């Protein structure tokens, strides 16, 4: 048995090294966390990004004789192909027969019944480093479940593709939601492992509780590493350009405009039928991962950012430009805009015609405070 496990570990190591990057993810460092799983009943909160080389983490651990009792799934589901916000129910994994419990929708937090046959929890999901990308909210609620039920939580860390800067408005806690649970900026510059330590250390979990936490770090990663994701993290972030643009273009989710869902350039184009007709044209269609996108089958006019070199900052220009061009100013913002922004100030600033420089200056006091807190929890060399 020991020889078999050693051989499987060797194969996993080779698979991890075969990736095009010099970074080794926490998941690939099986020797560092396998002892914590031996003789334990294990549940994992994972999706399609939880891989070691080309193999899913669940399959790797089963080969290593780890006793997995169930899988928890986040937004977009275990296989990562559900639309944003789409209801994902409980099911069974066809490949392994393991039960899948959805932790998205009304049942977002694992309860005592879910954990009665679990000794250890594992979190392994690729994040993209923005406050409104819901996987860090799922992480917090899993940490609270672990604390409530006295379970060890192991976070298998992965690089943050937007981890090379910190930017954007810091959330006003009056605007807490599942797309923003803590007073952090839109771009927080932390891996999920670092953020988990912050949640614990700052007493941000429910009732100030602390979770028994073990972070398996990456090797070969710093906050200056421009890491190319081997698996797309969700249906509408298909490439690195979409991931780099996402912190700024996601604000269009709080407007009547399309940000390219239903095209081959989601989060890389934006537009509306009422913008000037001499601009870039596209038409959202019903496609897997965007079955009913905004402005479905309507010809939109706007801008294509797919070839623009992204800067290490949250780019407000697309939203500012769209507001200037949109003819019905009183209909530009939906209620969701303030939820995404994490405040009411940004909308007011845009309506008042403030420049990007003026808006960015207003972020500085809260950003400086956050940066000083952030440094306490970093596990990797910073970009500064």
């Amino acid at each position: 048995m020991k020889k078999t496990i050693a051989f499987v570990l060797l194969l996993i190591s080779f698979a991890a090294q075969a990736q095009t990057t010099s970074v080794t993810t926490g998941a690939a460092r099986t020797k560092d966390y396998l002892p914590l799983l031996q003789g334990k009943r294990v549940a994992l909160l994972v999706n399609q990004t939880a891989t070691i080389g080309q193999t899913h983490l669940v399959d790797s651990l089963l080969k290593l004789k780890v006793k997995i009792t169930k899988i928890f799934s986040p937004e977009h589901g275990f296989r990562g192909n559900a639309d944003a916000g789409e209801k994902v129910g409980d099911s069974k994994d066809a490949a392994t027969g393991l039960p899948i419990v959805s932790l998205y929708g009304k049942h977002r937090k694992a309860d005592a019944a879910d954990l009665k046959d679990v000794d250890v929890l594992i979190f392994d999901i690729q994040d993209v480093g923005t406050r409104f990308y819901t996987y860090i909210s799922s992480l917090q609620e899993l940490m609270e479940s672990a604390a409530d039920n006295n379970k060890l939580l192991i976070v298998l860390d992965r690089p943050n593709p937007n981890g090379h800067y910190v930017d954007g408005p810091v959330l006003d806690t009056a605007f807490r939601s599942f797309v923003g649970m803590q007073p952090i900026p839109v771009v927080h510059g932390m891996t999920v492992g670092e953020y988990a330590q912050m949640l614990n250390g700052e007493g941000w979990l429910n009732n100030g509780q602390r979770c028994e936490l073990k972070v398996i770090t990456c090797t070969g990663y710093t906050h200056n590493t421009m890491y190319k994701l081997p698996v797309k993290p969700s249906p509408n972030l298909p490439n690195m350009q979409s991931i780099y643009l996402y912190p700024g273009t996601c604000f269009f989710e709080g407007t009547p405009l399309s940000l390219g869902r239903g095209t081959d350039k989601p989060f890389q184009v934006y537009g509306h039928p009422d913008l000037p007709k001499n601009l870039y044209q596209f038409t959202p269609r019903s496609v897997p991962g965007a079955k009913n996108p905004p402005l479905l089958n309507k010809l939109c006019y706007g801008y294509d950012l797919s070839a623009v070199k992204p800067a290490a900052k949250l780019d407000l220009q697309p939203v500012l430009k769209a507001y200037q061009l949109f003819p019905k100013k009183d209909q530009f913002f939906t209620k969701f805009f303030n939820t995404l922004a994490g405040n009411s100030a940004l909308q007011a600033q845009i309506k008042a015609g403030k420049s990007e420089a003026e808006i960015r200056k207003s972020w500085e006091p809260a950003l400086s405070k956050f940066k000083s807190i952030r440094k306490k929890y970093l596990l990797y060399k910073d970009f500064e």
Side-chain angles (χ1 to χ4, degrees):
M1 179 65 72
K2 287 184 178 180
K3 287 184 178 180
T4 302
I5 291 177
F7 180 68
V8 173
L9 284 171
L10 185 63
L11 290 178
I12 289 171
S13 176
F14 284 153
Q17 291 171 21
Q19 295 184 49
T20 57
T21 174
S22 60
V23 172
T24 300
T25 63
R29 300 179 61 195
T30 47
K31 288 183 179 179
D32 293 281
Y33 61 90
L34 197 59
L36 301 173
L37 308 181
Q38 291 176 343
K40 304 294 186 181
R41 299 168 299 173
V42 179
L44 303 91
L45 176 52
V46 289
N47 65 5
Q48 78 286 350
T49 65
T51 59
I52 302 174
Q54 301 298 313
T55 305
H56 197 281
L57 176 65
V58 169
D59 298 325
S60 293
L61 294 184
L62 288 173
K63 288 179 182 177
L64 293 168
K65 308 302 180 185
V66 173
K67 185 177 182 181
I68 300 175
T69 58
K70 67 187 61 174
I71 299 165
F72 293 116
S73 65
E75 183 177 10
H76 304 294
F78 175 51
R79 296 298 176 188
N81 51 13
D83 286 12
E86 181 180 339
K87 176 178 170 56
V88 179
D90 296 348
S91 60
K92 181 177 287 190
D93 181 43
T96 63
L98 289 169
I100 301 173
V101 178
S102 174
L103 294 184
Y104 184 71
K106 292 183 178 180
H107 182 61
R108 292 203 322 241
K109 189 179 290 191
D111 56 26
D114 293 323
L115 299 178
K116 68 179 185 300
D117 57 351
V118 174
D119 301 311
V120 179
L121 291 161
I122 290 177
F123 180 96
D124 183 19
I125 298 177
Q126 177 64 62
D127 189 50
V128 299
T130 60
R131 184 182 66 219
F132 34 59
Y133 204 57
T134 60
Y135 297 146
I136 59 170
S137 296
S138 293
L139 169 64
Q140 175 175 335
E141 295 193 334
L142 189 66
M143 291 178 69
E144 290 173 347
S145 295
D148 288 342
N149 294 278
N150 299 310
K151 309 293 183 182
L152 168 66
L153 172 62
I154 301 172
V155 172
L156 303 180
D157 215 6
R158 292 182 178 269
N160 177 355
N162 283 310
H164 53 289
Y165 70 107
V166 174
D167 203 10
V170 172
L171 179 131
D172 175 345
T173 54
F175 290 82
R176 287 185 195 271
S177 72
F178 195 58
V179 294
M181 296 179 72
Q182 297 301 340
I184 64 174
V186 170
V187 183
H188 51 71
M190 307 181 81
T191 67
V192 291
E194 291 171 329
Y195 186 64
Q197 293 198 142
M198 178 181 279
L199 290 170
N200 249 356
E202 294 302 303
W204 286 350
L205 299 183
N206 190 37
N207 297 320
Q209 59 191 334
R210 291 177 65 91
C211 159
E212 184 184 356
L213 176 68
K214 173 70 174 178
V215 179
I216 306 298
T217 58
C218 305
T219 61
Y221 172 73
T222 77
H223 283 283
N224 280 315
T225 302
M226 300 305 291
Y227 181 74
K228 183 177 180 180
L229 302 191
V231 179
K232 65 180 181 181
S234 52
N236 288 285
L237 291 180
N239 54 37
M240 294 309 298
Q241 183 74 351
S242 64
I243 289 166
Y244 293 142
L245 292 170
Y246 178 74
T249 55
C250 189
F251 285 118
F252 285 115
E253 301 271 40
T255 76
L257 277 74
S258 166
L259 46 66
R261 291 185 188 273
T263 75
D264 60 355
K265 297 179 181 179
F267 290 95
Q268 300 159 78
V269 300
Y270 65 95
H272 189 275
D274 292 342
L275 292 188
K277 304 296 186 286
N278 63 335
L279 299 177
Y280 172 78
Q281 300 180 15
F282 64 93
T283 303
R285 305 295 188 192
S286 180
V287 297
K291 299 180 187 69
N292 188 30
L295 302 176
L296 176 66
N297 297 326
K298 294 184 179 179
L299 180 61
C300 296
Y301 306 92
Y303 292 88
D304 180 1
L305 306 176
S306 62
V308 175
K309 184 178 180 180
K313 69 173 186 177
L314 190 160
D315 188 5
L316 279 178
Q317 280 304 312
V319 169
L320 296 178
K321 185 178 290 186
Y323 180 75
Q324 291 165 3
L325 293 175
F326 198 69
K328 303 171 184 176
K329 298 284 192 288
D330 61 334
Q331 297 177 27
F332 184 80
F333 297 100
T334 68
K335 291 181 179 180
F336 193 49
F337 187 89
N338 287 355
T339 303
L340 288 168
N343 60 51
S344 58
L346 180 57
Q347 181 178 156
Q349 290 168 326
I350 294 172
K351 286 180 175 178
K354 299 289 185 182
S355 68
E356 182 175 9
E358 290 174 311
I359 294 172
R360 297 181 68 84
K361 187 176 181 181
S362 71
W363 299 342
E364 282 306 318
L367 269 178
S368 295
K369 181 179 178 181
F370 170 77
K371 288 176 181 177
S372 65
I373 296 172
R374 169 182 173 273
K375 286 188 179 297
K376 295 189 294 183
Y377 302 105
L378 296 184
L379 296 166
Y380 312 95
K381 183 180 177 182
D382 207 3
F383 52 79
E384 294 177 340

